[in-house]
Amino acid sequence: MSASERPPVTWLYVPGDRPERFAKAVASGADVVIIDLEDAVAPVRKDEARANAVAYLSARPDGGVLHVRVNDPAGERGRDDLAAVAGLADAVRLPKVESAAVLDTLTGAPAYALLESAAGIVNAREIAAHPHVTGVALGEQDLAAELGITDQQAMNHLRLQVVLAAAAAGLPPVPMSVYPDVKDEDGLLASCRAGRAIGLFGRTAIHPRQIPAIRRAFRPGEEETARAVEIVAAAEQAERDGAGAIALPDGRFVDAPIVTRARRTLALARHLADPPPQDSHSQDSHSQDSHSQGPPPASAPPGA
């Protein structure tokens, strides 16, 4: 599996009004850097943030995969954001998507639709199936606030609806929302592993120090990797022998989808085997106040 076929594992937000952090975000090891023009930026600085994003995207001095989270595309500011960055970013992230209608007029970069309301969840299948949509994700803070949800089992029910909608539309797996407590590595690891168990894959981060933990959480374990090696070896032997059936050493048979999954497991294990070292300056330059409104308390459900 090539890097282009492998879904991103780590996504890092960087405020659009802090252009000095853009290069450090790219150097952090994140698979995707998201320049945020929405929640991370105070209203009085949004025009400045958009100009910063346009300048950086036009020059691309540091490479990397660059997305932009625009403001609500149903509003004038969001439409202006799209007009400015859609032809420059690798993808745009659209907040507060509640129906497929808002997607009809999109042009330029592929779109990730953020589902942050009851209406967005109800219409998740229609949104995910829209031809302009490359991926979907949850905005859990807004969703939990609207519905008054504090129970993780209830939130998992909503997450699974989005996982199913993405899979049915042939989209990449749904990444997890941010974990707001940047100092709670154990909690982040446990949360990532719980998300992985219900079909979520990868996670957005609000600080570079979260990236190594996210990589560890989604790295296949030794037993899982060994099993994948066994399956792929059996498949290759069956191909050499011209056999239609693939038998494992213990006598069990596996079919093609299992082999495909095993190959993906091995590709992911290779990709995450040696996490890149963190740039200490990058870590220092991101703080919990990187979002203008500040991160939510650690007890709150994570956001988009």
Side-chain angles (χ1 to χ4, degrees):
M1 177 184 297
S2 69
S4 62
E5 295 171 322
R6 183 185 59 244
V9 180
T10 52
W11 317 63
L12 178 64
Y13 277 113
V14 59
D17 60 345
R18 300 301 299 270
E20 74 279 5
R21 295 181 179 176
F22 294 173
K24 296 171 183 177
V26 172
S28 70
D31 294 320
V32 178
V33 169
I34 306 168
I35 300 175
D36 194 4
L37 306 184
E38 195 209 15
D39 286 348
V41 181
V44 296
R45 303 191 69 175
K46 286 186 179 288
D47 289 344
E48 173 190 346
R50 183 196 300 146
N52 292 337
V54 168
Y56 190 74
L57 290 165
S58 298
R60 295 225 174 208
D62 308 296
V65 179
L66 302 173
H67 292 192
V68 177
R69 179 165 71 171
V70 300
N71 288 281
D72 186 350
E76 182 179 358
R77 187 179 294 279
R79 291 192 293 271
D80 289 345
D81 289 343
L82 285 170
V85 306
L88 300 172
D90 295 309
V92 292
R93 294 174 74 85
L94 308 177
K96 303 174 177 62
V97 177
E98 296 192 333
S99 73
V102 74
L103 304 167
D104 289 338
T105 59
L106 289 179
T107 58
Y112 278 74
L114 303 183
L115 310 181
E116 306 182 76
S117 66
I121 299 298
V122 168
N123 295 318
R125 293 192 183 189
E126 174 187 283
I127 292 167
H130 195 282
H132 291 159
V133 170
T134 299
V136 293
L138 278 160
E140 294 189 2
Q141 292 182 58
D142 289 349
L143 183 61
E146 178 182 339
L147 299 178
I149 289 177
T150 58
D151 180 73
Q152 287 301 303
Q153 289 187 347
M155 185 60 73
N156 279 345
H157 175 70
L158 303 180
R159 292 169 179 145
L160 283 168
Q161 292 187 54
V162 180
V163 168
L164 182 61
L171 298 180
V174 179
M176 297 183 73
S177 298
V178 299
Y179 190 80
D181 188 344
V182 300
K183 296 182 179 180
D184 182 14
E185 183 174 309
D186 290 341
L188 173 60
L189 283 166
S191 176
C192 287
R193 288 165 179 157
R196 187 182 180 203
I198 62 169
L200 298 167
F201 182 82
R203 189 160 207 161
T204 51
I206 55 173
H207 195 289
R209 73 175 60 167
Q210 295 178 311
I211 291 171
I214 294 171
R215 290 173 62 94
R216 286 199 301 275
F218 286 96
R219 182 189 307 156
E222 291 183 7
E223 184 177 343
E224 183 181 1
T225 302
R227 182 68 170 172
V229 168
E230 183 180 58
I231 291 170
V232 171
E236 292 174 347
Q237 185 62 51
E239 184 177 354
R240 286 193 295 269
D241 295 342
I246 303 171
L248 300 181
D250 61 10
R252 283 181 290 175
F253 285 82
V254 295
D255 55 16
I258 302 299
V259 176
T260 298
R261 181 174 179 178
R263 294 185 192 279
R264 289 175 178 167
T265 296
L266 295 182
L268 182 62
R270 287 192 295 270
H271 173 57
L272 298 179
D274 297 303
Q278 288 293 292
D279 183 333
S280 60
H281 296 293
S282 174
Q283 291 190 17
D284 291 342
S285 69
H286 284 70
S287 64
Q288 282 192 324
D289 66 356
S290 64
H291 290 268
S292 60
Q293 298 174 348
S299 59

